[in-house]
Every structure is written in structure tokens, then in C-alpha cells.
Amino acid sequence: MKAFPEIKHYSLAILTILFIFFVSSCSLTRRLDDNQALVRTVKLDSIDSEFSDQALTYIDRQQQPNNWFNLQLYYLLSKNGKKNIGEPPAILDSGLVENSREQIELFLKNKGYLKARVASQIEVAKKKAKLTFTANEGPLFRIRNIQDSIGDPAVQALYRVNRRRFSHVQPGGRFDTDSLAYDRDEFYQVMKRNGYYDFYRQYINYNYDSTFNNGVVDVKMIVDNPENKSAHPTYRINNTLVTITDSYGRTIGKADTIQVDSQLRFVDFSHRFKPGAINRYIFQKKGDLYNIDQQSLTTARLSELNVFRNVPNPAYRKLADSSNRLDNKINMIPLKRMSDRVEAEFLFSGGRYGYNLGNTFTNRNLFKQAEVLQLKLNWSILFDTNGGNTGSIQNQDFKAGVNLVYPRIIAPFDLPTLGKYGVPHTTFSSNFQLFYQKGLVQRRSFVNALTYDWNETSRKQHTLTPISIEFSSGSIDPVAKDTLLRENRYSYIYLIGRTIFTTGSQYTYQLNANKLYSLENFVYFRGFVDVGGNFLNLVSRTFDRPRDTLGNRTMFGYTFAQYAKADIDLRWYRSLGRNERQFVFRINPGIGVPFGNSNQLIFEKNYYAGGANDIRAWLPRTLGPGQFNRGAFYGGDTTQLSRFRYLDQFGEIRIIGNAEYRFRITNDFYGTKLKGAFFSDFGNVWRLKKNSDNPGGEFRLNKLLQTTAIGIGAGLRFDLSYFVFRLDAGFKFKDPQFTGSDQWVLIKHFDELFKSGEFKQNYREANGGEPYRFMQLNFGVGLPF
């Protein structure tokens, strides 16, 4: 049998890696000194299952068995520890074993087993050590009575009113010192929220009596008064001094000094701010009781303005008199007024390559109201080398946008600050896009919008665009237009070539967006609604504006679009325990419906499938709609296949789903945390109705499975804390452009995964020389969802 080069090279590489790891694994113990042993097994015996996993964490980290992969990385790449890559070997240390035994014993006592004893045993064979920790837990002690001893009646009343809300210490419950510590911290926060600026955790203590020898404990919570005082004093806010330095943190030269009101004095050495932008997010007002939550809220919101480099917590000073008042001072260092960020990407896939260049210029505080002005430029260009067209431009996309973002809601009527759960924003935006597709079309769009975003709670976010004005037009290549006319494809000419004017409104609601990068169990939801053209339709009808040649109403001489569009993004996040294991399932349906003055969606409002963030085994805009087969439709016409690439595979309906298993591989891989993922993607886009331009592309519920694409794959994530690099390899598993069993391409044609055979040759002939690719590599920044 002939060996195929691709398979041979991949197999050789895999076998080489496995051989290196095997040899490295076999030689691990040989690298140890004669008096050393590698900890390979740790066992806990006779420990309650509720606490066994947590008890393992009290074993010294240096005595925990190595992750096999991390250990191989250490020996292969760390050069005997000169580089911090992987995980050094866990060498047996009897002193650390004893320390671990003591820590486990203390942990069990803290969990209510007050008479617990733990013994350790070490077994060594062939330089491999097994550690066994055996517990004699004794009786579990439970709480019989809870009392308090608080000398200050006001503090006692505050404790008794709030205890029911926060306390984890209850009669009949297990005695647990962690719960005592939790209650202590919670009541400390209660005191700090109610004016007790001088209150410290050290005032709170617990006494407990377990001398009854019958497994019960009496607990007494004690709050001492300050020395030589009969009560704890409360404090109120007095004056506030806000000082803004220059961008280098200096307070030199003459400052802008303003006494804003009876509370706030404003001193600005940068000469760049007006007091209103700052005062709006100072939540501690004169005469209010001191409240640590209001202090933290002030610091958080001033930081979120995105115009300051450093916002420390306010510094308080007690007045010398006996009025129990606090002056506070807030010192802030502004960011530099102007900054510029350049981004670049190189794209390559199957004979096509391109560049994506972006530039973002930022001017902060242009009008001294903590607003941010951003100018964004982006230019994408794709070249095609298939068919010998080396260096031929396939398409270009140029975008330019200006955003002016104010950190408040700007409206013609008074609104509350809305800053309790996040800084609200008002954004004025203007964006221009020029898209060029070789031999087909140039499209230009200009969009102006006013957008508000605010947080209802820490979990609930709202974004409202009450007005969005869009003007778009297209110019079809004359040769392409003649071809379309000959083929009676008038709807396509209308779709990509028409000039249209419309207004619309959008609304987005998000739930739990603040948890997306956590390992908690939660459900994320995003709902989006976009409705356009209704206002223009009302005005046009009211003033009886003229119609165009197709009978559509116009405004200002242009046809306007009417449509409604809705998307849902629903995800389930589930943590699976150690090594940051997590399972995520996502379903993302959407539909757009033209009505009234439109029989088609605006070109830019349609849905597309494929790409790094939905179905990763397909390139963007190369999937669907439905069972649409480009090669069969164009009869292998190379010119037509090339001309309409990326533009004829759209739909008014989209259903995308993803299932992804994520896990940590190693904590240290050349300075990054290396994570992995296995995933399956499914879905497609469909046309609302049967259409001669996309045969087989319409949505039918009874053919949903038949018209759904499935991709599978694996990926790596290089986590640098502040951002994540991602590399995903997606494989086409089920391709709906085919029929019957031929759809299951990875199963039926697995032998052609890395070589050319009959299937790939037939596909190339039917698609004008376009190759069929089972695998697609996706490089991106950030998680796919």
C-alpha cells in the first residue's frame, strides 16, 4: 500500500513526540539521587467524604503528585530549572509530610471534629513514594446554644437585627470555625456600613465551651467596647477635597481651584476636568453616616470613567472637635490625554491570504466632562492565489468610525445617576464602510446612532439605541450586472445594488455578563431586537411621499427599508471541579423579517455562518443557506463561483449551537497558562422562503436535521491574564450541501482527511477548481463565546 506523504509526516511527528515523552517518563526516577524519592501517590483514609477533596489541599504543594504532562514539560524545556516551565518534581520530604499531617488535623478540628487525630505513613519502592494520611475523626460537635455579650446597646441591637440575614452559625448546626470567621467578617461590614469608621475586627471574639463530652458546643459572640469608652462612636461625612494631579502624578504649578458646594472642593493641576464629571460619582454626601460601601462605590465608579490611571480609596481625617465628623480626600492621576493603538492580523486559508490592519486613536476628556473620543480605522484585504491568480485581490473592506462616549445618560429630562452598579454611558457614533468584491460590487454604508447603556443590577445590563440612521448604496460591476440580467436574477441585483435609506431602533438585554470569565455555575442570556423603517413609513404615508418604479414608498428621494430582527444568545456554564474544567453549551438563534415597504432585508442585516466564533470548521460566509450547493448551482462555472464567493451564502434565519469542554493543561507554559478545549459546533443559516437564487436554502422544520452542519474540533488557549490567544482546529463532520449519507463527510471520507482522493477530485471539478478542506484553523483573541 502506498504511504501518503501527509499521513506519513503527521504520524511520524506524533510518534516522535510520544517516544520523547515515554523515554522522559521512564527516566524520571533515574534523575533522582540515591536518597531521593518521587511522590507518586497520596491517599486519604477515614475522612468524611464531604471534606476529603478539601483536605487534599492542605497537603503541602511540594508533596502532591505531579501532573504527568507538566512534569514532562519541566524536564524537556526547563533546562534543569533555569526556566520556569512546567512543574518541578515532587521530591519526598518527611518534614513537609509531617507539616501536612498537622494541617489536615487542624482542618478537621476546624470542621467540628474537635478530637480528631491524623497519622501519616510513607512507603517507598523503586524511588517512588506513597503517602497515606489516616484520620480518627472522633465525634462531630454541634452547636447547642448561641449567646452574645455586647457592651454597647446600639451595637447589640444592630447585631441582633442583622444576624438572621448573614449568620452561618445556627443552633443544631455543625461547629465550624470557618463559619465563625465568616460571621465575624459579615458583622464587621455591617458596622462599617452604619457609621462605625473606627471599628476593627479585633473587637469581635468568640468563646466556645466543649467540656460537656457529649458532642455539643456552646458559643458566645463577644464585641468589646473601645478602651475607656462605654460605646462605639459613629461618624458622619463632612468636607471632601478632590485633587487631580497632572499625568505624571505631580502637583506643581497653579491649579484650577473651585469650591463647588458646601462639601466639595475641587483642585485640578491638569486643567482638564470640570467638577461635575467627578462630583456625579462621589456617593458620600455631607451629613451622611460613614458607609464603607459608598466609599468603595465612589472608588469603583471613578476608576470606571476610564480617564484616570490611579484612583485610590479616599483618605479620611477625623476633625479635632468632638463632632465625630470626617473630612475625606480623593487624589487621582489622569491618564494621558491621547493614545494610539495599532492592531494587525495575517489571514491564510487554502490559497487565500490577507491582512487586517486596525488603528484606534483615543482622545480622553476632550470637553472636560470625562468623555472619550475614539477614531477607529480598519482595512481588510484578501488575495486569492487559486488558479494561478497570484496576488489577485479578492475583496477589500474599509471601515472608519468616530465614537464620542459620555459617562452619563444625556437626555432632555432629568434622570437618576444610575451609577450604583456601573457607570452608564451615552454614545454618539458615526461609521462608514466601503466593501469591494472583485468583479461584482462596491457597497457603501453610512450609519449614525445614539446609544445608551446602563446596569440595572450587577447581573442585568441594558443597551438602547433609540435612533439609528443608515444610508447604504451599491454599484454592481457592469459585466456582472449583464450576467445577472441574462439569468433573470433580479432579486440579487436589487439586494446588492440598491440605494436605501432607513431609520431604526435597537435594544439589548444581558444577564450575567459579569460572570463570563468566572468558573461559576450560571446561565448567560443576551436578547437583541432591531426594528427599522416604521417612523419613515408613518411620515411617508402622512405626507403622501412618491413611490419608486417598483412601487415602494420613498423619503428624500430614496427607498427606505422596513424590517424586524431578533437574536437570542443563551448559554449554560457548568464548573466540573479541579484543573479549571468547565462545560459550556450555547444556542444562538436569530431571525430577520422584511415587511411593509421591503420584500428583502438590507444586505448588511442578513445572517452569515462560519468563522472563529460560531461554526469553526467553515470559513466566514461559506456555509449555507440550508442545502445550497454552489458547485451544482453554477455548474462548475469558475467565473461565477469566484464572483459570488462570500456573498451568496446568507439567510434571514440563523440557528447556531456550540458545546465546549474546557480544561487547564499547565499553569506555566512559557509564561502563560495553557488551556485546552474540545468542541462541537452545529447550525446553519436559511432563507425565509424558497428562492431561485439559493435552491435548497429555505427553512423547513421537518428538514432541520438534514440541513444542519456539524463541526468538531480541539483548541489551545494561551491565557496571559489580561487577554487570551486562541488556536482552534475545526473539522467538518456533517456538510449539508450534500445529500443522504454523503453529508457525513468525516466518516465517509476519513481516508481523504490529509490526502487527495476521488471525493476531493470530484468536488474540485464541480466547484471550478475550489478544493474541499476538511480542516480549518482559527486564530483569535479572546474566547469564542
Side-chain angles (χ1 to χ4, degrees), residues 602-660:
I602 303 173
F603 180 78
E604 288 78 11
K605 297 290 183 180
N606 283 289
Y607 290 110
Y608 302 89
N613 295 316
D614 50 50
I615 303 184
R616 284 161 277 188
W618 278 263
L619 282 170
R621 296 177 178 250
T622 62
L623 175 60
Q627 288 191 277
F628 177 56
N629 187 308
R630 299 185 78 242
F633 181 71
Y634 294 110
D637 187 329
T638 304
T639 302
Q640 296 286 67
L641 285 163
S642 177
R643 176 174 287 148
F644 293 103
R645 182 183 293 146
Y646 307 120
L647 289 175
D648 57 3
Q649 296 184 263
F650 64 92
E652 296 90 354
I653 298 175
R654 179 190 65 192
I655 301 176
I656 298 295
N658 313 88
E660 185 162 297

Side-chain angles (χ1 to χ4, degrees), residues 150 152-159 162 187-201 203 223-226 231-236 288-292 295 318 324 326:
I150 303 174
D152 185 337
V155 174
Q156 185 182 59
L158 194 63
Y159 171 73
N162 287 276
F187 185 60
Y188 168 78
Q189 294 296 326
V190 168
M191 295 291 285
K192 287 292 189 177
R193 294 186 190 108
N194 286 273
Y196 293 92
Y197 169 73
D198 260 348
F199 190 84
Y200 301 101
R201 287 182 177 85
Y203 288 125
V223 179
D224 296 322
N225 284 334
H232 289 269
T234 59
Y235 289 82
R236 293 186 178 272
D288 290 348
L289 279 173
Y290 165 79
N291 187 330
I292 194 172
Q295 168 192 309
K318 291 183 284 188
N324 288 350
L326 297 171

Side-chain angles (χ1 to χ4, degrees), residues 649-685:
Q649 296 184 263
F650 64 92
E652 296 90 354
I653 298 175
R654 179 190 65 192
I655 301 176
I656 298 295
N658 313 88
E660 185 162 297
Y661 170 66
R662 301 169 179 171
F663 54 93
R664 187 184 72 235
I665 298 174
T666 177
N667 275 321
D668 191 357
F669 182 76
Y670 287 93
T672 71
K673 182 182 288 187
L674 180 62
K675 300 179 180 179
F678 296 108
F679 59 83
S680 177
D681 307 323
F682 60 90
N684 207 335
V685 294

Side-chain angles (χ1 to χ4, degrees), residues 290-439:
Y290 165 79
N291 187 330
I292 194 172
D293 286 351
Q294 299 298 84
Q295 168 192 309
S296 300
L297 190 61
T298 298
T299 302
R301 297 301 166 260
L302 292 176
S303 298
E304 288 176 23
L305 291 177
N306 198 29
V307 292
F308 295 109
R309 175 160 55 93
N310 184 34
V311 183
N313 283 323
Y316 295 93
R317 182 180 63 85
K318 291 183 284 188
L319 270 64
D321 58 29
S322 59
S323 60
N324 288 350
R325 291 179 297 168
L326 297 171
D327 283 344
N328 68 95
K329 182 177 182 181
I330 304 174
N331 294 325
M332 296 181 288
I333 303 175
L335 289 165
K336 291 184 178 180
R337 170 171 285 180
M338 299 183 186
S339 63
D340 194 73
R341 185 178 74 249
V342 178
E343 298 173 321
E345 285 183 322
F346 176 74
L347 312 172
F348 178 80
S349 177
R352 303 186 192 98
Y353 66 95
Y355 306 92
N356 185 15
L357 302 175
N359 187 86
T360 301
F361 170 78
T362 301
N363 189 326
R364 296 178 180 86
N365 212 43
L366 183 64
F367 304 116
K368 297 188 175 183
Q369 293 288 344
E371 66 285 306
V372 175
L373 176 69
Q374 286 189 329
L375 172 62
K376 296 183 178 182
L377 301 173
N378 185 272
W379 178 45
S380 299
I381 184 169
L382 184 67
F383 298 91
D384 192 355
T385 61
N386 289 318
N389 297 320
T390 303
S392 175
I393 295 177
Q394 183 69 29
N395 60 53
Q396 296 186 72
D397 193 1
F398 174 76
K399 298 176 184 177
V402 178
N403 295 329
L404 181 60
V405 184
Y406 283 88
R408 67 183 188 279
I409 299 295
I410 299 176
F413 42 84
D414 289 335
L415 289 171
T417 301
L418 299 176
K420 183 176 181 180
Y421 298 101
V423 172
H425 299 96
T426 300
T427 302
F428 300 92
S429 61
S430 291
N431 295 279
F432 173 76
Q433 180 178 8
L434 175 62
F435 176 79
Y436 164 76
Q437 173 72 46
K438 178 184 176 183

Side-chain angles (χ1 to χ4, degrees), residues 521-585:
N521 295 329
F522 65 96
V523 173
Y524 168 80
F525 174 83
R526 181 187 65 83
F528 171 76
V529 177
D530 181 3
V531 179
N534 291 341
F535 175 75
L536 292 178
N537 184 59
L538 177 63
V539 173
S540 178
R541 287 177 178 274
T542 302
F543 294 97
D544 194 24
R545 303 306 302 161
R547 298 175 181 265
D548 64 9
T549 57
L550 296 177
N552 296 319
R553 294 185 178 274
T554 63
M555 281 293 296
F556 310 114
Y558 297 107
T559 303
F560 60 86
Q562 275 186 280
Y563 64 89
K565 189 176 179 182
D567 298 338
I568 290 175
D569 188 348
L570 183 61
R571 312 176 197 170
W572 288 265
Y573 289 80
R574 289 294 176 268
S575 175
L576 302 177
R578 301 177 63 185
N579 294 322
E580 300 183 32
R581 293 181 297 129
Q582 186 182 46
F583 177 77
V584 185
F585 179 78

